[in-house]
Amino acid sequence: MVYKTLPDVKKEEILDLSMKYVNPGKTQEWIDREINIVMGKREGYYFWDMDGRKLLDIHLNGGVFNLGHRNPEVIQAMIDATQDFDIGNHHFASTGRALLANELNKLTPEGLCYSVFSSGGGEAVEVAIKSARYATQRRKVVSIKGCYHGHTGYALAAGDSMYKAPFRGEGDADCFEQVPLNDLDAMEKVLKKEDVAAVIIESILATYGFMIPEPGYLAGVKKLCEKYGALYIADEVQTGLMRTGKMWSIEHEGFIPDMIVTAKGLGGGIYPISATIMNEKAGKWLREIGRLHCSTTGGSEIGCMVAMKVLEITNRESTVNTILKNSARMKSFADYIRDKTDGFLADYTHRGVIMGLKFDVEDAGKTITKPLFDAGVWAHNSRLNPSFLQFKLGLLADDSYVDELFEKMEDGIERARKLR
Ligand SMILES: Cc1ncc(COP(=O)(O)O)c(C=O)c1O
């Protein structure tokens, strides 16, 4: 039995319905790649395909499952919340939003006082860009080549052309400019025109292979923002919530951004919620025209209660200790595989329990993902830098899980090497 509540559903039926009524292109692509997963049972850092295959999850849906699939404490927090709350009404002050914003205020660097809630990461990026535009009365947004901030309007416009060109999004180019990572001169050239509202940067570029900016680069960008009157938005959708060993990856960089965007894992894999956390400057509109932006379901009170539990678990000493221990284990594992495979694993990026594994292949999606899947590991390549595989270990992964994972990854990488 795959589901307790839907015992009669068959995988073939779901694939068929998905082809007919959901997304034929996407469904077919995974069928062609022989990775036609339909998630059945899920528990901890495992999930089972509906055909019964058990998979170790190191994609975690970008960090949605930082605390595992169906974390029992998170589920209980949601059940408890339904005793008193529902979505609430976005027009009023709300207990859920007030308490969660208070927690986020305590867990973010000094000065980041306001939280605006949405349902997903893209929406939270929209809020950040709108806030910067109001605060500066400028329109332009600068981002990094190879970045990804979501598929919604401004978020899409700020991102790589791979995702926006097919939807005719290139016409927004006059307001959205991209510069290469680690090039402060290129950034200054754009900012010095003094028409830029915001610079938005993922603190580690997830979809670009978890590329970590060179030391001092992000702090240099912040200084340029201050000099030329732009606001700095730290997109921490994949890198926040303790994934790097600190609450926010930006804390490794020694400066405070004007805004932090968080999503994915904030809802504990159970209830979608995201937040744009901002300082007084960025939050000007909240004081002056506070009713001119809202999201009906963003900041649902049940979602807020779930997120508070997520923050509590994430900030436990035991969680942080597990992350630090596993971070060291991941590094030893990557070094071991790099030596053993004689350059097949060519390089890696690493901070906390985030890793980008660079293989000596053109497209890890085509050549590494499938052998890993055959070995029992679900991992995804970096779509904008395809020789990289994303490796996201769960925050709470215990020793026996990590042992099993490394064994299976070694097996999968060996299979991939033989196929070369
Ligand atoms: C860095 C980053 N920003 C924003 C987003 C958009 O989040 P969502 O898919 O919840 O809209 C994503 C999603 O993958 C992301 O990785």
Side-chain angles (χ1 to χ4, degrees):
M1 190 167 67
V2 175
Y3 302 116
K4 291 190 194 104
T5 51
L6 292 170
D8 297 329
V9 176
K10 301 276 174 294
K11 179 172 174 178
E12 294 66 36
E13 186 187 340
I14 298 303
L15 287 173
D16 190 44
L17 290 173
S18 300
M19 285 295 285
K20 281 196 189 124
Y21 304 123
V22 185
N23 187 330
K26 186 178 346 196
T27 310
Q28 189 62 50
E29 187 178 327
W30 287 108
I31 290 172
D32 293 345
R33 288 169 64 176
E34 296 175 14
I35 310 181
N36 57 356
I37 296 169
V38 181
M39 288 171 74
K41 182 184 165 187
R42 30 211 115 171
E43 192 178 303
Y45 296 108
Y46 300 96
F47 68 87
W48 283 255
D49 182 43
M50 277 185 85
D51 68 12
R53 180 195 292 258
K54 182 182 182 185
L55 290 157
L56 284 80
D57 189 358
I58 59 164
H59 172 235
L60 302 178
N61 205 354
V64 169
F65 302 114
N66 278 342
L67 303 182
H69 289 271
R70 308 192 72 259
N71 180 302
E73 285 189 84
V74 176
I75 290 180
Q76 192 56 52
M78 187 179 73
I79 293 169
D80 293 347
T82 60
Q83 302 291 311
D84 289 312
F85 297 104
D86 49 23
I87 282 174
N89 189 313
H90 66 82
H91 283 296
F92 310 135
S94 104
T95 302
R97 286 192 289 278
L99 294 179
L100 177 58
N102 186 36
E103 285 311 307
L104 285 169
N105 175 51
K106 288 186 217 155
L107 295 170
T108 41
E110 186 75 29
L112 290 165
C113 49
Y114 302 119
S115 285
V116 178
F117 298 108
S118 311
S119 300
E123 281 174 85
V125 169
E126 307 291 309
V127 171
I129 291 175
K130 285 175 73 174
S131 302
R133 283 182 162 183
Y134 186 85
T136 62
Q137 289 298 298
R138 299 172 177 179
R139 302 193 66 213
K140 198 166 193 172
V141 175
V142 183
S143 59
I144 301 296
K145 286 190 174 140
C147 69
Y148 175 69
H149 299 290
H151 289 297
T152 54
Y154 296 147
L156 183 72
D160 192 89
S161 63
M162 169 172 163
Y163 294 110
K164 66 183 168 189
F167 294 101
R168 309 295 300 265
E170 301 290 33
D172 304 322
D174 58 331
C175 280
F176 290 84
E177 194 158 338
Q178 294 204 310
V179 295
L181 181 68
N182 296 326
D183 186 341
L184 281 174
D185 290 342
M187 182 63 82
E188 180 155 24
K189 212 165 146 197
V190 182
L191 287 180
K192 79 196 312 183
K193 292 180 197 144
E194 302 203 334
D195 60 352
V196 173
V199 174
I200 179 164
I201 306 185
E202 292 169 80
S203 301
I204 300 177
L205 277 75
T207 309
Y208 203 69
F210 283 123
M211 203 57 71
I212 300 178
E214 282 171 6
Y217 171 71
L218 297 181
V221 173
K222 176 65 165 63
K223 278 210 183 90
L224 290 174
C225 284
E226 283 163 15
K227 184 167 170 193
Y228 297 115
L231 299 190
Y232 184 109
I233 305 166
D235 182 337
E236 294 266 356
V237 169
Q238 292 223 25
T239 52
L241 303 175
M242 216 55 89
R243 184 143 273 290
T244 65
K246 291 186 188 282
M247 184 63 187
W248 311 106
S249 186
I250 206 76
E251 291 175 59
H252 296 269
E253 306 290 344
F255 71 93
I256 301 178
D258 295 293
M259 287 179 256
I260 288 178
V261 177
T262 180
K264 289 196 187 270
L266 187 63
I270 290 293
Y271 200 105
I273 183 162
S274 60
T276 313
I277 311 163
M278 58 187 82
N279 62 15
E280 287 287 356
K281 205 164 163 190
K284 189 164 185 265
W285 71 272
L286 291 164
R287 297 185 304 277
E288 296 177 359
I289 52 158
R291 290 192 73 192
L292 293 191
H293 173 92
C294 74
S295 164
T296 303
T297 49
S300 137
E301 296 202 86
I302 290 177
C304 290
M305 293 299 158
V306 167
M308 287 214 286
K309 178 51 79 177
V310 167
L311 295 178
E312 191 239 300
I313 300 172
T314 303
N315 281 277
R316 281 179 196 157
E317 201 182 339
S318 59
T319 306
V320 178
N321 289 341
T322 301
I323 292 166
L324 297 179
K325 179 162 98 177
N326 285 337
S327 174
R329 288 198 67 185
M330 285 168 77
K331 183 177 176 347
S332 307
F333 174 71
D335 287 339
Y336 163 71
I337 295 289
R338 190 170 52 181
D339 292 347
K340 186 191 161 196
T341 58
D342 199 20
F344 182 55
L345 174 63
D347 204 356
Y348 63 86
T349 66
H350 175 220
R351 184 178 278 169
V353 286
I354 285 178
M355 232 176 206
L357 299 174
K358 181 179 169 48
F359 287 93
D360 182 21
V361 296
E362 254 174 45
D363 188 344
K366 294 204 174 105
T367 47
I368 313 286
T369 304
K370 175 73 167 77
L372 276 172
F373 174 73
D374 291 337
V377 178
W378 163 238
H380 200 266
N381 60 303
S382 298
R383 295 190 77 191
L384 295 170
N385 201 357
S387 63
F388 277 81
L389 189 86
Q390 301 179 342
F391 178 8
K392 285 164 271 194
L393 185 70
L395 304 190
L396 308 173
D398 63 20
D399 287 347
S400 69
Y401 179 87
V402 177
D403 292 343
E404 182 186 357
L405 175 67
F406 287 171
E407 202 175 295
K408 295 208 157 125
M409 283 181 78
E410 189 172 349
D411 176 18
I413 291 166
E414 208 46 55
R415 288 172 196 237
R417 199 152 71 116
K418 284 195 186 123
L419 289 173
R420 213 166 34 145

